[in-house]
Amino acid sequence: NAGVTQTPKFQVLKTGQSMTLQCAQDMNHNSMYWYRQDPGMGLRLIYYSASEGTTDKGEVPNGYNVSRLNKREFSLRLESAAPSQTSVYFCASNPPAGTDTQYFGPGTRLTVL
Amino acid sequence: GEDVEQSLFLSVREGDSSVINCTYTDSSSTYLYWYKQEPGAGLQLLTYIFSNMDMKQDQRLTVLLNKKDKHLSLRIADTQTGDSAIYFCAESRGNTGKLIFGQGTTLQVKP
């Protein structure tokens, strides 16, 4: 099992450009999440998907869109990137029952100039 | 993460014990977690505790939960330089599967 994978690992964008961050998990998990991590602020939830075909806003959804393409894949899209979106983005997933433990990907480091 | 609070920094000497503290607000949290993040990496689950437990021990790690005060702590015995990392506590919210994270505590271990 690869667990949770994310691409790309690093990205530099100019203000106004768009891009999609990809996330996939091979653990047959139902729920998937996108977080951003900023210094001194911990992880903040952007969007989540409780199951294939459903998505919901988290704490900081503005400026982002998501797609739950299938059970394995959950992508995060920045339509018009802004410097305030410079951050490290993490994808996570958790299984349908049990302890709510989330398993994290390695992260995507995004810089918006 | 404004509902889960941690101090931002802790420095200890190698071989000492480290205690990282966390306070949370949701008394209905089912599970509380400790995650470790090494530089440039994602978050790795260290341990978790069910809300009806007071203590959980796992090798060098001891988790204490004071539900009355909504206080969680992680004790690392015989701290090693490899323990240097950021430690996040998190609480689960109801049956949504969502976690609320603290700001993270940077643990610095000096030789």
Side-chain angles (χ1 to χ4, degrees):
Chain A
N1 278 357
V4 180
T5 56
Q6 292 183 237
T7 55
K9 285 189 167 46
F10 300 93
Q11 184 71 50
V12 178
L13 293 177
K14 293 181 180 177
T15 296
Q17 286 185 315
S18 61
M19 79 159 295
T20 301
L21 282 65
Q22 306 286 354
C23 174
Q25 51 88 13
D26 61 0
M27 298 175 283
N28 202 34
H29 288 172
N30 284 356
S31 298
M32 297 184 73
Y33 308 82
W34 275 106
Y35 295 91
R36 60 178 288 172
Q37 182 182 22
D38 301 293
M41 301 188 75
L43 275 77
R44 293 182 292 170
L45 183 65
I46 304 171
Y47 271 94
Y48 68 102
S49 170
S51 62
E52 184 179 353
T54 69
T55 61
D56 286 287
K57 294 178 181 179
E59 185 184 353
V60 288
N62 290 346
Y64 305 95
N65 285 301
V66 290
S67 295
R68 184 74 183 268
L69 304 169
N70 46 56
K71 193 169 187 179
R72 288 188 65 248
E73 298 172 287
F74 188 38
S75 62
L76 178 72
R77 183 157 178 85
L78 287 71
E79 290 291 351
S80 178
S84 61
Q85 293 178 304
T86 294
S87 189
V88 182
Y89 292 86
F90 288 101
C91 177
S93 68
N94 67 359
T99 64
D100 294 339
T101 299
Q102 291 186 12
Y103 298 85
F104 283 80
T108 295
R109 282 144 188 83
L110 176 67
T111 300
V112 183
L113 302 175
Chain B
E2 70 272 11
D3 294 340
V4 180
E5 297 285 337
Q6 300 177 239
S7 54
L8 294 182
F9 187 77
L10 176 66
S11 180
V12 301
R13 293 227 171 261
E14 193 173 18
D16 288 349
S17 291
S18 307
V19 179
I20 302 172
N21 295 301
C22 172
T23 56
Y24 62 98
T25 58
D26 188 349
S27 58
S28 66
S29 293
T30 311
Y31 294 95
L32 295 128
Y33 304 83
W34 285 104
Y35 281 84
K36 177 183 181 183
Q37 184 183 32
E38 295 182 351
L43 275 71
Q44 171 194 356
L45 178 69
L46 272 183
T47 187
Y48 65 89
I49 187 167
F50 189 47
S51 58
N52 69 352
M53 297 170 65
D54 297 325
M55 184 180 89
K56 181 179 180 181
Q57 188 148 4
D58 183 0
Q59 299 182 335
R60 293 190 297 122
L61 304 179
T62 303
V63 178
L64 295 178
L65 176 60
N66 180 330
K67 208 172 175 185
K68 174 176 167 289
D69 294 337
K70 298 190 185 71
H71 184 265
L72 181 74
S73 68
L74 173 70
R75 179 177 180 269
I76 305 173
D78 187 25
T79 312
Q80 304 296 307
T81 54
D83 295 323
S84 293
I86 303 175
Y87 291 80
F88 291 93
C89 67
E91 59 172 342
S92 63
R93 283 290 167 90
N95 60 359
T96 65
K98 290 196 288 184
L99 298 183
I100 306 299
F101 287 86
Q103 309 98 309
T105 299
T106 298
L107 175 64
Q108 179 189 68
V109 183
K110 296 180 181 176

